[in-house]
Structure formats: C-alpha cells, structure tokens
C-alpha cells in the first residue's frame, strides 16, 4: 500500500488521469477498428513537430521565470526566418538552415529584451508573459500587413499584406519528416524529425550540465543561495529567457515544415498554452523540469489529441469538435492544477 | 514636541498639479488623444458616433463595473468574469428555447443565472485562495478551461445527452447548438426597449441630477472616508450639470442627428444603481473588510477578518454581477455567437477598465465608465480611421486588438515594477 | 504593599506555564502575576522563552498546532482559554507589536478602528445583515482623536499612516490598543528598539501614564536602564525557566545582567588560550551594513590569524549583519582588508574569490539548494568561483561527475554527514547534517577566513556538539581563521579565543571567553561602558 502511495505521489493525479484517458482511448480505438498504425505514425510526427516548442519551456522554468507563456516572441522570430527563406527563394535543407540562422539573432535580441523586462516584474512573470505574448502576436499582425515582403507565394493576390497561411509545398514541406523515414509494418517513423528534436534535447541537456547551466539552475532554484555563491541571478534569468526564446523560434520552424504551412496573424496566439500543458503533463512543475518531462509530455499530450479525434468521430458521428474540446480542457486543466501547487503564494 | 507632530500638507501650484495629473493619468490621456485622432480620420459625424457610443456604453458598462470589487479585495483584475458571462449565456439559451420573451424572460434568466453564478463564483474563489498571488493568470486560464466545459455541454451533450428539441437552435444533426443564436423573438431589447427617452431629454434629466447632487454635497458636506480638507467639488458637479443642460438646449435648436438618438432608460438606471451600490458598498463594514484584505492579508487575519472568506465573497459578488451584466449585454446585442460572445468579455472589460486609468490595485467607478467610453470610441473609429489612413480597415482592427492587449500588458508591468521598487525601498529603510 | 500580597487581585495570572515543541522543552513552570496598573518587565536573552510565552498568552496558532501548552491562565481571577489573537483581544489583552501591524494606505482612524469599526444601519443592512452597515466615520474619528490625545499625539486623525515617522506609527499602535474599551493588559514588545532616545523617553512617559489609569503593562525589552526607570517589578527568564521575580527597587542593572546571562559554563577542558599569533588577518574599519533588522552602524575590528573569534550580542543589534555585509549579500560601506589587501564590497563573487567563505544563518533559505543532491550542494560554489570540478572542451564545460563524487564522499566521511549517499537531496537531511553540508560547501572553497553564522540554530544537542567540534578541528588542524556569530553565548564561550559583543550596530567591546557573566550581560545590554565608566570615575 505504501509503495502504491509513493508512486501515486510521484506520478501525481493529473498524469494518472491523462494516462488512463489515453489507455481508454486506445482500447476504444482498437474496438472501433481504427487503424492503430496510422495513429502511432501520427503521434510520432506530432511529438516531433511540437517537441522543440515544449523543450523551450525547460530553460525558462529552470532559470526561475516559471512557465514561459511569452514564447510567441520567439515564434514570431522563427516565422520571420521562415518567411525570409521563402523571400530568398530557397528550397530544402538550405531553406531550413537559413530560416534558423536568420531567426537566431532576432530571437537572441528579443529574448534579451524580454529577459530584462521579466527581471523587473519578478513574481508576476506568468501573467505578464501571457499578455506580452498576446501583444506581440497582435503587433506582428500589423507587421504581416505592412512588411515589405514581395514574394508572390506569400502575398494575397489582391489586397495588402501576407496570406494567413503560406504553403511550404515544394519549398521545405516535411523534409525533416521524410529524411531517413522508414516503415515498421504500417508505422512510418519520421527519422529526421525525431533525430532533430533529440539533437536539440541533447544540446540543452549538455548545457544544463555545464558550469553556466549549473549556475542557471541554482539561480532558478534558490536565488538567495545563488547570490551567496557569487552567481548573478538576473543574468542567469536573462540567459534562460534567451534560450527559451531561441528554442521556440527553432521550434516553430520545425513545426511549420512538418505542418506544411506557415501560419501568420492570430495563429501563434495560443501556441504557448499547448507547450506549457505538454511539459506539465510530462511531469514538470513551475520550478522543476527535465528533458524526459519534455519527451514524455509531448508524446502523451499529442497522443491523446491524435487518438481522441477519430475515436470521437466514430462514437458521435459528425462531432469533430470533441477533440478540440478535449485539448482545451486538458491543457488548461493541467495549467490550473500546476498553479494551485505553487503553495498559496504565501 | 508638538511642532514636530504637525504634518505639513503641501499645496502644489496649479502648474505642478496639472503636470502631476497628466503623468499619473498617462494611459488615459494617451487614449483620449488616440480617440480624438481616430475620430478625426474616421470621418464620422458626431451624432453617429454618439449614437453608437450610447449603445455600446449601455451594453458594456455593467460588465466593467463588475470588475471593481475584486480589485478592492486585492485580487487584481478578475479575468474570471468570463464564468459569470457563461452562465448568463447558458440561461439565455434555455430561456430562448422555452420561448419566454420580454421582461418575464429576463426575470426568468436572472432567476436561473444567479444561483449558478454564486456557485461558480464560490468555486473560483476557492481556486484563487489556493493560488494566491496567481489570481490573474489563474483567472485567465480558468476562463479558457471553463470555455472548454461550456463547449462540451452545448456542442456535444445538448441533443445527445441533454434532451433539447428545437430546430431553430440546434444543428441539423440534432446534436449541438448552432453557432449563432438570434434573440429577435425573445429577449432582444427586453430591457433596453422597456422605456426609452430621446437623448436630449435624458441628458437634461442627467444634468438636473448632477446639479442636485452638487447642491446635496454643498448642504451636507461630504461624509466620505477621506475626511479632511475637501476641495469644492460641489461646484464642479453644479457647473458640469449646467453646461450639459445648456448644450442640450443648443442642440435642440439645431436639426442635428443627435435629436433623434434614443437612450434605453431602464438599462441606464440599472447601471446607475450598480454605481450607487458600489459606492454604498465601499462605505460599509464589508467594504472596509475588502479593502483591509486587499491591503494586507496578514494584518486582516490577525485583526480577526477572515481573509479567505472575504476573498470568496468578492469573487461571488463579482461573478454574479458579471452574469447580470452579460444578460444586459446579450439582450442589447440581439444575436450572439454561441461559442464566442462570452470569451472576449473578460479581456475587453479589463482593457476598458485599465484605459480608464485604473490599476491592478486601484479601480473606481469613474475609471470604469471613462474607460468604457474611450475603449468603445476606439472600437468604433479605428477600422474606419485605418481604412482612411492606410487604405486597409483590417489594419485598424489589428491595431485596436494590439492596443487592448498592450494596455493590459503595460499596466501589469507597471504594477509589478512598482511593487518591486517599493519592496526594495521597504527593505532599505 | 507587602501586607496585602496574599489576597491581592491580579488582572493577569499565568500559572506554571510550560511548552514543548516536538520534544524540545522551551518553557517550564513560568509564573507571572500582573496587578492592575503595574509595569512588569520581562527580561531574557534570545531564546529565553519570552516570545513563546507571549504566543501562549495570545493563543497563537503555533502553540495550538503543536499540541497546546501546560499550565493555566487567569484573567481577573477567571480561568480562560485563549485560542486566537482575536479572543485575546476580546478578553482585554492588547499588544504593541515590534513590527507594526498598520496598513499604510489607511488613515490613522481606519487603522485604530481596524475590524472594530463603528457602523450605522443603512439602506441595505436591513435586508443583508450587519456586514452591510455603513461606517460611521464621524464617531470613529472622534474615538481615534480621544485615544490619540491619551498618548499625547497632536497629529490629525485623518492623515494616512504611509509616510509617518516610525515613532508616530508606534504611538498609533498604542492608541489603537487604548481604544479597545475593555483593555486590561497591554504588552509592549521591544517598543523602544526602533525609536530615537527622545522618542523613547516619551514612550516611557506614556507607558507610565497608561499604567496610572489602571492598565497593567508587560514590558519586554533588553534595555536595562529603561527597565529601571519605569518597571515596578521584573521577571527574568533564562533557557525557558523562571529565574526570579522581584521588585525593581530591590535590584540593579548589574544584577539584572548577571541574572539574564548567568549559567554554568561547561568549559571543554582544553583551554582555548590564544594561539600566540597577533598577525592581523582581517582589518575592518568604519563598516556599515544595510541589512534589515540587523543594521551595522560603523564597526572597527581586527581579526587575528588562526583564531576563532566569536561574535555575540542580542538579536537585532547587528551581529548577523557583519558577516552578511562582508560577503556582499547586503549593501555595505567601509573598509575591509584581508592580508592587507582591500576587499571589494557589495560583490559576493569577489568576496568569495578573495578567499572568504560563509556558512549562512539562514540554512534552508540561503545555505542550501534543498532539492539538489549533497554532492552538488558541496561543489557548486567552488565550481562557480574557482572553476573546479569541470571538464573543459575549449570554451565548453561539463560537470566532472567522477571528481564531484569523490570529493563528496570524502566530505561525507570527514564531516561525518549521515545520509544514504552523496546523491541524496538535502531537504531530507536532519538539521545538523544540513549544517554540515553547508560547512562542506564552504570548506570546498579552501577559504582563508571562514564566517559561520548561527551554526547550531535549530539543531539538536548532540549535533550541536559535533558541529562545534568540527569548527575547532578545522581551526586547530588547518589553522583556519574562523569568525563565528552566535546568539548562544555559552557556545561562543566554549570555542572562541575572543568574543566581540555587538550592540546597536557597533562594537560594544571584546571579552575573553572566561570573563564574568556580569560583564557579558552588561555588554549585551549596552550598559557596560556606562556602568564601568562610572565605576572607574568613582574609584579614581
């Protein structure tokens, strides 16, 4: 009994609910004769395409700024990189590489400024980050209308500004997914995509084991301790914020290539919520996060979304919105749960 | 010793006074300027703007006023009024389904809404007591979360689990509600239409009331909380009332469009009552408790004020008021989007309040009303101004959204920053 | 007076009060009787049990959530059970807090009347109950005026508290208590600590005036001269025990100091003679530290090579601020030299780099990463400051886990840290072992001078000795210069070569560990120079 209790505490109620829910969905899927292999392929792809966005939560949490609801800042930088790659008429891996290289300095600068701001608002980072994210997204909505991109592919044929979705077909659509992809039975394994995600996970993992990374974790864990050990806490918070922003920029490029479209205007508005929810589902808290939280969380969350859609469709004909509702309830429910675990704010 | 005990109250010169007022009301001043510029470039006539504005003021003010009590209790901007809006909307849907129209329909809606709103307010309060210091982000997420539940009920369960036979409301599949609901034959204008007066008459009456208020203040001397050297505010009331009446006489002598504008009096009176209640409430014992808890939970608890309970009360009241406000909102709107109307309520109301000059810790009735006025002026003029200036209405639209999010972001930043600086100051004392 | 002591009427009578926290006894058989109109001083060092006694009196939740207390409390001869501060207030017991319980954004009236507002029925209260009655500001202001006049403060009652000078806040606090109609006993908790001398005089005057109206006063302080001036009787507590209660006129400052400190010193046998060296290792001049509650206001001190210097003094006098200031954790000013080289202040990194190390008094707050392993806690500061325990790949670095593990195992062995292994997280360790991890972290830096603050606070007796032995061993074997700050005079006297006493942010004096209790007591109370000074003049 005691052991059960220990496991229960370690696992936490929300994760138990989500895993049971996933199991239930899987059993339902089998019974409804939905092809499991397709579901697994889908889950793998979506884990890979969301993985780096989820990963971007880690430096933020560890540096002590909490759940970084402000990743739309990085996302916008990533989108700019992607658009530039099209504008420069690039294809394939070159396009992705250039997109990343362009978004890098942008997101570093944006992350630095954002980090400076967060240092001035300690204790209220999450609420503020959310609204900073919203503001940036709506500011960039104006940007997408007025920025001087000229590529025909991106602009509305009539009217001003860029299209709301820009197809990447023939540019760099799914090229990571397809690189080295192989089949096990009917399951397609998106080798390039998964490797790319794991590569970034490895980079972050190595960083966290470096001297700088160790200092950053100490600063996030206990600022007073860090100060007493000669660590500049504010600097560490800025580094964490910058890393988080850069990762989200890379994350959106990977996401877009897998999705096949670059989505502009209001699309990035709620992307942070999905990333936050995923890492919480993976077992992270507002103060602690690991790489395994990222991988487990991205996989669990995306699997639930992938499986719930066909299952819901089979049970209730023509009700496609159930999956969307499940997403809303799960992601916001887990965030609420995490907020109540901070300890009353006392 | 006694010389030292005198605290000198400094009288600023008029210049510094104006400067101080401008600086401390920077946000509001900025928006006034923005609205004037927007109005100028929108090419709208004053009468048209006024007409639109009255509609929108009547529609939204009550909701914005519902935000005041939680601010008083130190819980910040209550993004969770979405929950109140949601239960009002649910009640409106059922009342429409049953076909109860007009004022009886409104009465029934209120009866249905209030208990649910009390329950939801209670639960929200419990959640906030568990996540102290995170009320604002908590409220925001809670809004999203409950929107999911709302969709589950009205998109999935209605027609499949909950029996609901209504061809006009339900989708052709028999499950889930249509995405817009028309109140044309039901609650539309049930409150607004009950009694309307021409704008000129209403304004004249309002001017008269203002003058009476000035006289009342003069005779009684204001028994407010801040006893002390009160300035001659009664003069201001009297003068503005007289100016309003004078202006109305002028308008009446012209053939302006303004003469044709109607004011829904019942709604206006309800908003007025809400203002009176809020003022009254702030002078009661419970209001004082709210403020004490808002200023310092620890001291409140030590003095025997149960801060958790007080916070619960604040949330319940706010949620109930928000639900009533949303009923007013919906009956004025006439048709609403089943899955969207309530979503933006929290965010638009908060933005309006902040634009009026409120902050996370200080919000007054005047902030709420002025903010609603400015925010909705911007609403009306910005797409037109955007089109006229940049040839694209969409631009103005995005600009407005940006401004709304931005003003919330900026005022939250200002608040947190000030708190941090004050914290440092206190330490170094 | 003496004739009526048997049938006397006591307004407050606390009998045989005792209290244990988790098996540790903090109060035993305390008896306090208060007559109406009496000023009764309670004296004692930090940890003597004064605050616990007050917590019992006010029914604070720390008492009830840890199993209640022993003994009985009578008010006006009637046995009472006080379960919360609010109940205490209802029973007529009030307190003037050391940290003001005032709301800055409120007017003086609103603060005085907090949760005791006078109300009139209003429109809504008839339907919605008393809570919606309207505040009667007029009568509230009048009440406030009356209380303010009683304490002799001429300030307008509608002025906001924010921005008032500290002394005014103190008087507002008193006025608030006086406004409570049934007030019988008023507790003053170190009321003069924050006041200037002239304000303190006024306060004492006010206390006398209040007492003359029949209200009994419990006066908690460490300023012995003030006790002598106003108190009718004194009670001395020491180590949770009732030492004595006597009339003030039968005692004097010397005796009070002696009673406060007096205890058998368990000398460890080995004489802690000066290790000979008179080389100044660290020179501190005109040193100021802005640490809230522990301000240092100009200290001059020399620290000799290879000695253990004890820093003592009462809480709030600035002894804690000294080490924190030198380590750069709080803003400081002045001149500190190590081996003749100036130390850059206000920069923890530089302080550490110059060979200082610090074991903080706030073990769980500053001293440890509670959710990290013992090994990481041990090496992290050294890794950060000296770049040790790292593998280098060009500009990139990685933690050298093998080296870290080896070092941690050695430390665990050397310091005898009881744990399941170097990867155990420190939150799960006992207080004493946590302290040893903190010491291990400081030692990993190989410091020239080690600052240790309150090393035995909150750890059990056995572990205390181990920690102190460790310090002595470090000092003897490696010749490490150690500066130990502690509230426990006994342990300072046990291991130090010299003991510096800090009072009101300044160095009061330096005593050898075997100096008399009276000398220590007088120094801690800031009376040493007054008393001795007079003595010298009288003798000379």
């Amino acid at each position: 009994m005691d052991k059960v209790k220990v496991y229960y505490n370690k696992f936490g109620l929300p994760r138990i609910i989500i895993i049971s829910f996933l199991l239930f969905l899987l059993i339902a899927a089998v019974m409804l004769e939905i092809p499991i292999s397709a579901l697994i392929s889908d889950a793998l792809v979506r884990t890979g395409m969301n993985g780096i966005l989820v990963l971007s939560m880690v430096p933020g949490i560890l540096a002590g700024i909490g759940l970084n609801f402000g990743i739309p800042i990085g996302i916008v930088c990533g989108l700019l990189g992607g658009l530039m790659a099209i504008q420069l008429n690039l294809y394939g891996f070159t396009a992705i590489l250039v997109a990343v290289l362009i978004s890098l300095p942008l997101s570093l600068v944006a992350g630095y400024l954002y980090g400076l701001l967060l240092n001035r608002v300690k204790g209220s980072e999450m609420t503020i980050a959310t609204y900073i994210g919203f503001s940036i997204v709506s500011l960039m909505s104006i940007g997408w209308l007025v920025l001087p991109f000229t590529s025909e592919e991106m602009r509305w044929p009539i009217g001003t500004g860029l299209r709301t979705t820009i197809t990447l077909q023939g540019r760099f659509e799914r090229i990571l997914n397809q690189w080295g992809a192989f089949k096990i039975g009917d399951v397609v394994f998106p080798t390039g995509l998964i490797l790319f995600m794991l590569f970034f996970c490895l980079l972050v993992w190595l960083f966290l084991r470096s001297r700088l990374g160790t200092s950053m974790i100490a600063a996030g864990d206990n600022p007073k301790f860090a100060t007493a050990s000669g660590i500049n806490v504010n600097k560490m918070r800025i580094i964490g914020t910058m890393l988080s922003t850069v990762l989200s920029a890379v994350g959106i490029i990977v996401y877009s290539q897998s999705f096949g479209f670059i989505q502009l205007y209001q699309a990035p508005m709620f992307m942070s919520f999905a990333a936050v929810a995923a890492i919480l589902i993976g077992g992270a808290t507002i103060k602690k996060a690991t790489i395994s939280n990222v991988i487990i969380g991205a996989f669990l969350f995306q699997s639930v979304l992938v499986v719930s859609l066909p299952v819901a469709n089979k049970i209730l004909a023509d009700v496609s919105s159930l999956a969307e509702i499940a997403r809303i309830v799960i992601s916001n429910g887990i965030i609420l749960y995490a907020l109540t675990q901070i300890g009353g704010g006392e | 010793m006694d010389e030292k005990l005198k605290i000198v109250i400094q009288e600023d010169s008029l210049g510094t006074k104006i400067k101080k007022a401008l600086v401390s009301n920077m946000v509001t001043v900025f928006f006034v300027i923005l609205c004037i510029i927007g109005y100028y470039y929108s090419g709208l006539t004053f009468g048209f703007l006024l007409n639109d504005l009255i509609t929108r003021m009547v529609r939204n003010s009550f909701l914005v006023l519902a935000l005041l009590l939680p601010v008083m209790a130190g819980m910040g901007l209550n993004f969770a009024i979405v929950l109140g809006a949601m239960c009002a909307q649910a009640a409106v849907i059922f009342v429409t389904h049953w076909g109860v129209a007009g004022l009886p329909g409104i009465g029934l809606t209120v009866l249905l809404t209030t208990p649910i709103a009390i329950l939801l307010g209670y639960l929200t309060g419990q959640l906030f007591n568990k996540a102290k210091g995170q009320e604002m982000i908590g409220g925001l997420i809670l809004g999203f979360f409950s929107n999911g539940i709302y969709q589950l009920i009205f998109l999935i369960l209605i027609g499949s689990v909950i029996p609901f036979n209504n061809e006009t409301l339900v989708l052709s599949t028999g499950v889930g509600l249509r995405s817009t609901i028309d109140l044309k034959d039901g609650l539309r204008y049930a409150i607004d239409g009950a009694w309307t007066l021409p704008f000129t008459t209403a304004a004249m009456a309002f001017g008269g009331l203002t003058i009476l208020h000035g006289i009342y203040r003069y005779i009684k001397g204001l028994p407010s909380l801040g006893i002390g050297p009160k300035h001659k505010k009664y003069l201001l009331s009297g003068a503005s009332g007289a100016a309003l009446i004078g202006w109305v006489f002028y308008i009446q002598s012209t053939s302006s469009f303004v003469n044709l504008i109607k004011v829904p009096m019942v709604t206006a009176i309800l908003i007025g009552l809400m203002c009176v209640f809020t003022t009254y409430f702030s002078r009661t014992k419970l209001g004082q408790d709210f403020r004490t808890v808002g200023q310092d939970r620890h001291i409140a608890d030590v003095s025997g004020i149960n801060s958790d309970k007080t916070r619960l009360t604040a949330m319940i009241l706010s949620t109930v008021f928000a639900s009533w406000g949303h009923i007013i909102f919906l009956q004025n709107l006439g048709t609403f989007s089943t899955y969207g109307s309530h979503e933006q309520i929290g965010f638009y109301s908060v933005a309006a309040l902040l634009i009026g000059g409120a902050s996370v810790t200080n919000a007054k009735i005047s902030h709420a009303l002025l903010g609603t006025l400015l925010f909705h002026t911007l609403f009306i003029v910005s797409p037109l101004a955007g089109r006229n200036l940049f040839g694209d209405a969409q631009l103005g639209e995005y600009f407005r959204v940006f401004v709304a999010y931005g003003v919330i972001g900026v005022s939250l930043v200002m608040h947190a920053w000030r708190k941090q600086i004050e914290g440092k100051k206190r330490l170094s004392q | 007076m003496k004739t009526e002591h048997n049938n006397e009427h006591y307004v407050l009578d606390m009998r045989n009060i005792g209290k244990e926290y988790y098996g540790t006894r903090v109060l035993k058989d305390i008896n306090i009787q208060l007559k109406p109109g009496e000023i009764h001083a309670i004296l004692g060092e930090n940890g003597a049990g004064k605050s616990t006694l007050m917590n019992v009196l006010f029914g604070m939740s720390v008492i009830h959530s840890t199993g209640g207390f022993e003994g009985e409390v009578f008010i006006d001869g009637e046995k009472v059970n006080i379960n919360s501060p609010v109940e205490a207030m209802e029973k007529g017991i009030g307190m003037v807090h050391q940290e003001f319980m005032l709301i800055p954004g409120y007017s003086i009236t609103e603060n005085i009347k907090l949760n005791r507002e006078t109300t009139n029925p209003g429109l809504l209260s008839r339907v919605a109950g008393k809570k919606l009655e309207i505040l009667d500001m007029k009568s509230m202001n009048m009440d406030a005026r009356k209380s303010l006049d009683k304490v002799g403060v001429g300030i307008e009652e509608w002025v906001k508290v924010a921005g008032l000078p500290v002394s005014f806040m103190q008087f507002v606090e008193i006025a608030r208590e006086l406004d409570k109609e049934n007030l019988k006993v008023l507790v003053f908790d170190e009321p003069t600590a924050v006041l200037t001398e002239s304000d303190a005089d006024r306060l004492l005057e006010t206390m006398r005036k209040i007492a003359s109206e029949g209200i009994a006063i419990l006066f908690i302080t460490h300023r012995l001269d003030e006790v002598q001036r106003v108190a009718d009787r004194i009670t001395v507590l020491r180590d949770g025990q009732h030492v004595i209660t006597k009339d003030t006129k039968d005692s004097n400052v010397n005796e009070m100091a002696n009673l406060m400190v007096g205890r058998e010193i368990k000398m460890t046998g080995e004489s802690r003679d000066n290790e000979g060296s008179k080389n100044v290792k660290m020179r501190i001049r005109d040193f100021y530290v802005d640490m809230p509650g522990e301000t240092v206001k100009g200290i001059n001190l020399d620290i000799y090579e290879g000695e253990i210097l004890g820093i003592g003094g009462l809480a709030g006098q600035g002894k804690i601020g000294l080490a924190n200031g030198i380590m750069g954790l709080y803003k400081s000013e002045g001149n500190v030299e190590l081996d003749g080289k100036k130390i850059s202040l206000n920069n923890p990194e530089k302080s550490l780099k110059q060979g200082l190390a610090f074991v903080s008094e706030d073990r769980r707050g500053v001293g440890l990463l509670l959710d990290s392993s013992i090994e990481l806690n041990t090496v992290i500061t050294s890794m950060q400051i000296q770049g040790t325990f790292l593998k280098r790949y060009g500009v990139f670095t990685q933690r050298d886990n093998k080296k870290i593990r080896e070092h941690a195992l050695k430390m665990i062995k050397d310091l005898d840290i009881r744990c399941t292994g170097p990867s155990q997280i420190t939150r799960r360790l006992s207080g004493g072992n946590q302290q040893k991890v903190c010491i291990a972290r400081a030692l990993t830096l190989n410091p020239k001078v080690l600052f240790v603050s309150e090393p035995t606070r909150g750890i059990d007796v056995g572990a205390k000795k181990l920690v102190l032995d460790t310090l002595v061993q470090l000092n003897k074997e490696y010749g490490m210069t150690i500066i130990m700050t502690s509230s426990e005079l006994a342990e300072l006297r046990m291991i130090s070569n010299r003991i510096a006493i800090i009072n009101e942010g300044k160095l009061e004096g330096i005593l050898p560990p075997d100096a008399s209790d009276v000398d220590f007591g007088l120094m801690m109370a800031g009376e040493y120079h007054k008393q001795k000074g007079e003595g010298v003049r009288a003798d000379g």
Side-chain angles (χ1 to χ4, degrees), chain A residues 120 130-131 160 319 344-346, chain B residues 79 132 156 297 392 417 420:
Chain A
R120 303 217 187 284
T130 311
Y131 277 97
T160 47
V319 183
E346 296 295 311
Chain B
F79 288 101
K132 283 180 189 136
I156 309 286
R297 274 205 309 277
D392 192 349
W417 196 346
Q420 193 170 345

Side-chain angles (χ1 to χ4, degrees), chain A residues 31-75:
Chain A
M31 282 173 29
L32 293 167
E33 293 171 8
I34 297 164
I36 297 293
S37 54
L39 292 183
I40 295 177
S41 307
D42 236 21
L44 283 174
V45 168
R46 297 192 52 165
T47 306
M49 77 193 253
N50 284 286
I52 298 178
L53 283 172
V54 181
L55 182 67
S56 74
M57 289 295 138
V58 174
I61 292 174
L62 291 179
I65 63 166
L67 304 167
N68 186 5
F69 286 98
I71 57 166
I73 295 173
I75 291 179

Side-chain angles (χ1 to χ4, degrees), chain A residues 53-259:
Chain A
L53 283 172
V54 181
L55 182 67
S56 74
M57 289 295 138
V58 174
I61 292 174
L62 291 179
I65 63 166
L67 304 167
N68 186 5
F69 286 98
I71 57 166
I73 295 173
I75 291 179
V76 164
C77 297
L79 290 176
L80 275 171
L83 294 179
M84 279 304 287
I86 300 178
Q87 177 73 24
L88 295 172
N89 200 19
L90 301 172
Y91 293 90
F93 283 105
T94 334
I96 290 198
L97 190 69
V98 169
V100 170
L101 285 180
I102 290 173
S103 67
L104 212 61
L106 291 176
S107 51
L108 278 173
V109 172
Y112 176 74
L113 295 174
Y114 176 46
L116 281 183
L117 177 79
L118 288 185
N119 278 343
R120 303 217 187 284
V121 298
K122 282 177 196 163
S124 324
E125 291 99 337
M126 287 191 282
T127 323
I128 286 170
T130 311
Y131 277 97
I132 297 294
F134 287 171
S135 308
I136 289 292
V137 170
S138 35
L139 180 66
M140 281 317 286
S141 295
I142 301 176
W144 306 135
L145 279 179
V146 298
L147 283 177
F149 286 107
T150 53
S151 163
E152 294 284 320
E153 278 172 77
M154 300 193 287
R155 296 191 73 86
W156 288 115
I158 6 170
T160 47
L162 302 175
R163 298 164 193 251
T164 34
T165 50
I166 295 162
T167 177
L168 298 176
Q169 207 174 12
R171 290 264 172 203
F172 50 93
E173 184 195 27
R174 300 172 65 79
I175 59 163
L176 280 175
N177 303 39
Q178 281 152 6
W179 188 84
F182 58 87
K183 274 189 156 188
I184 311 169
D186 284 335
V187 177
V188 183
F189 191 83
T191 316
L193 184 66
I194 299 288
L195 279 182
F196 198 75
M197 176 188 95
L198 290 179
F199 173 67
F200 272 88
C201 287
L202 178 73
L203 284 185
V204 173
W205 186 77
L206 286 173
F207 169 75
L208 294 178
R209 289 165 50 88
S210 71
R211 175 161 148 185
L212 188 63
T214 311
S215 309
M216 191 188 84
I217 296 173
D221 188 7
N222 184 345
K224 283 192 210 156
F225 175 96
T227 309
S229 286
I231 296 168
N232 184 337
V233 175
N234 281 344
K235 194 172 129 196
M236 291 304 141
R237 284 167 57 99
I238 290 179
I239 287 172
T241 314
M242 286 168 80
L243 260 180
S244 179
T245 311
V246 167
L247 284 171
S248 57
V250 176
I252 194 67
I253 294 171
V254 174
Y255 181 94
S256 301
Q257 68 83 30
S258 181
F259 190 60

Side-chain angles (χ1 to χ4, degrees), chain A residues 119-121 127 130-131 134-135 138 141 145 160 265-266 270 273 319 321 325 328-329 332-333 342 344-346, chain B residues 79 127 132 134 136-138 140-141 144-145 148 151 155-156 297 392 395 398 402 405-406 412 416-417 420:
Chain A
N119 278 343
R120 303 217 187 284
V121 298
T127 323
T130 311
Y131 277 97
F134 287 171
S135 308
S138 35
S141 295
L145 279 179
T160 47
Y265 300 99
Q266 311 288 306
F270 291 99
F273 291 84
V319 183
S321 45
I325 293 172
I328 294 176
V329 171
N332 292 300
I342 301 177
E346 296 295 311
Chain B
F79 288 101
L127 181 85
K132 283 180 189 136
Q134 307 291 338
M136 283 192 269
I137 182 90
L140 194 69
I141 305 281
F144 296 145
F145 176 78
Q151 287 190 19
L155 207 50
I156 309 286
R297 274 205 309 277
D392 192 349
L395 198 87
Y398 283 134
F402 165 64
Y405 283 127
L412 292 176
W417 196 346
Q420 193 170 345

Side-chain angles (χ1 to χ4, degrees), chain C residues 481-497:
Chain C
T481 310
I482 296 177
I483 295 140
M484 173 165 106
T485 312
S486 175
S487 300
E488 296 204 25
L489 197 51
E491 71 186 29
L492 288 178
R493 291 167 91 172
M494 225 155 85
I495 70 165
S496 310
N497 301 106

Side-chain angles (χ1 to χ4, degrees), chain A residues 46 304-328, chain B residues 151-152 155-156 171 173 175-176:
Chain A
R46 297 192 52 165
V304 168
L305 300 187
V306 164
V307 184
S308 63
L309 183 65
V311 171
N313 275 347
K314 282 250 174 171
I315 299 174
L316 299 155
D318 286 341
V319 183
S320 52
S321 45
L322 190 61
E324 172 69 5
I325 293 172
R327 185 186 66 77
I328 294 176
Chain B
Q151 287 190 19
L152 182 72
L155 207 50
I156 309 286
L171 290 165
T173 53
V175 175

